[in-house]
Amino acid sequence: MASQTAEKPVSPIQSEVDLQAPGKQIGYLRLPHSVHRSAYGWLPIPIATLACGEGPTVLVMAGNHGDEYEGQILVSRLIREIDPQWVQGRLILLPMANFPAARAGLRTSPLDDGNLNRSFPGDPHGTPTQLIADYIDRSLLSQVQVVIDLHSGGSSLRYNGAALFAQRDPDTRKQEPLMDAVHAFGLTLAFINESPNPVGLLAAARRHGVMGLLAELGGGGEVTPSVLATAWQGLLHVLGHLGVLKGPLVPPAPPHSSRLLYVHRSKHYVYAHDDGVFEPLVRLGDRVVAGQPAALLHFPAHPGRDPVQVQFPAAGLVACQRVPALTERGDCLFQLADDL
Ligand SMILES: [Zn+2]
């Protein structure tokens, strides 16, 4: 890894926080941003560290996609509520990783249309989103043992409660501790997939030999208190399990026993093949069979035209559903999952 990146220049992003210092520090990563209203300005990406003594270093981040709010709340709460004396090692906390996107409440950055989770390993000469990906990749993942990335369905999707994604590690010595961490997180559903998106954070983590856990917490552009409560307990429990957190916040048990599932790259995704108005015919959490009607797409601009029925291509559990009714060809309507 080092030989691959050694010749790259230093990131233009500068941390106000000394990532190696003990105690609690809260500040910003300064991303240089020279624009009409601010020639020598920078964008403030919030960051905090909590460090005490010897132990693992864990990165917990949210706001990878800016319209996913549950994780932004949870990471901010970790920053406020953890006494650094309860830490054994170091927590690096990034509540709004793609800050321009999170400030705007958008999945992608309004500055460059960048989708941070499709931007790894990033580019130190690139756009703001590419700069952030490069900083996370080279400056943060290079010094952590575990990364926890908190997502949700965002504005366009909703997950069935709280779910966790992990990528199966071909190295069996790493797979066992990964599964232990999945169960320690204790979210209702746990998706164990084969191969990571090559430009996503989990692939970047794997390149660094870092254990990666990605949570999908509700969504729909809103915050669900029950999902938030489950995720908070799971997050604290897995941090305790990883050995980086002790003390009164760590619950004695995970919130749930996780149901292990997998999501197939193609057959578990249901797409719209027309522009229309989406009417779901099933509910989140339903068990469906192959060929079962999934949705109707209506065409109110052509009231004489019958709606088109969309069918499930495979059997499975309805894990995730589109939120907005107005739909275009190519939009994802459902994501299924099936037992491992
Ligand atoms: Zn996301």
Side-chain angles (χ1 to χ4, degrees):
M1 225 54 64
S3 61
Q4 208 179 17
T5 54
E7 64 279 6
K8 279 196 180 177
V10 172
S11 170
I13 295 178
Q14 289 189 333
S15 177
E16 290 181 352
V17 167
D18 176 358
L19 297 173
Q20 310 303 326
K24 180 184 294 198
Q25 300 180 83
I26 304 174
Y28 297 96
L29 302 174
R30 298 181 174 192
L31 192 163
H33 191 58
S34 177
V35 289
H36 176 76
R37 55 158 288 278
S38 182
Y40 296 161
W42 42 269
L43 298 171
I45 303 169
I47 188 169
T49 59
L50 296 160
C52 185
E54 293 297 310
T57 299
V58 178
L59 169 63
V60 187
M61 55 181 273
N64 183 332
H65 294 132
D67 60 342
E68 301 173 1
Y69 302 102
E70 293 83 347
Q72 298 182 42
I73 292 175
L74 293 169
V75 177
S76 303
R77 196 172 165 194
L78 291 177
I79 294 169
R80 293 195 309 275
E81 296 191 15
I82 293 179
D83 184 324
Q85 292 188 352
W86 301 335
V87 174
Q88 289 177 305
R90 196 152 42 111
L91 283 169
I92 302 175
L93 302 166
L94 212 52
M96 297 171 88
N98 196 352
F99 171 75
R103 182 174 58 179
L106 298 172
R107 178 172 178 83
T108 53
S109 173
L111 302 180
D112 55 13
D113 254 351
N115 179 337
L116 179 58
N117 212 31
R118 306 286 186 277
S119 300
F120 289 91
D123 180 355
H125 298 301
T127 66
T129 305
Q130 291 167 335
L131 292 179
I132 295 169
D134 171 67
Y135 185 86
I136 291 172
D137 195 294
R138 288 193 298 146
S139 301
L140 299 183
L141 292 179
S142 59
Q143 55 176 308
V144 310
Q145 285 77 57
V146 182
V147 58
I148 298 173
D149 190 18
L150 302 175
H151 289 250
S152 87
S155 308
S156 73
L157 297 169
R158 177 175 285 114
Y159 273 86
N160 183 30
L164 193 68
F165 273 88
Q167 304 295 341
R168 184 185 296 284
D169 202 311
D171 183 343
T172 46
R173 287 165 306 173
K174 290 184 176 169
Q175 180 64 13
E176 251 181 67
L178 177 70
M179 292 310 298
D180 289 345
V182 165
H183 287 293
F185 213 130
L187 300 185
T188 324
L189 304 176
F191 305 118
I192 311 300
N193 284 344
E194 290 302 328
S195 55
N197 169 0
V199 288
L201 177 79
L202 289 181
R206 181 164 295 178
R207 281 197 298 277
H208 286 275
V210 169
M211 179 194 289
L213 299 169
L214 189 156
E216 292 284 4
L217 310 171
E222 60 180 18
V223 170
T224 309
S226 60
V227 170
L228 211 51
T230 295
W232 175 246
Q233 292 299 312
L235 191 53
L236 293 171
H237 190 262
V238 76
L239 293 176
H241 165 83
L242 294 168
V244 72
L245 184 64
K246 57 181 181 176
L249 289 182
V250 180
H256 295 281
S257 62
S258 296
R259 180 172 173 188
L260 298 183
L261 302 149
Y262 76 102
V263 179
H264 190 276
R265 191 189 299 261
S266 56
K267 72 175 187 178
H268 280 160
Y269 289 85
V270 183
Y271 291 99
H273 292 275
D274 297 272
D275 296 1
V277 177
F278 164 52
E279 178 194 356
L281 298 177
V282 296
R283 284 192 289 197
L284 279 173
D286 283 357
R287 175 92 208 166
V288 300
V289 297
Q292 181 175 331
L296 294 173
L297 287 171
H298 297 272
F299 312 104
H302 305 279
R305 185 178 168 192
D306 286 335
V308 164
Q309 191 185 76
V310 182
Q311 278 129 20
F312 286 107
L317 176 97
V318 182
C320 176
Q321 181 190 308
R322 178 174 174 79
V323 173
L326 198 59
T327 295
E328 294 183 18
R329 175 183 295 136
D331 287 342
C332 181
L333 304 177
F334 297 99
Q335 182 196 59
L336 299 176
D338 213 345
D339 291 311
L340 264 187

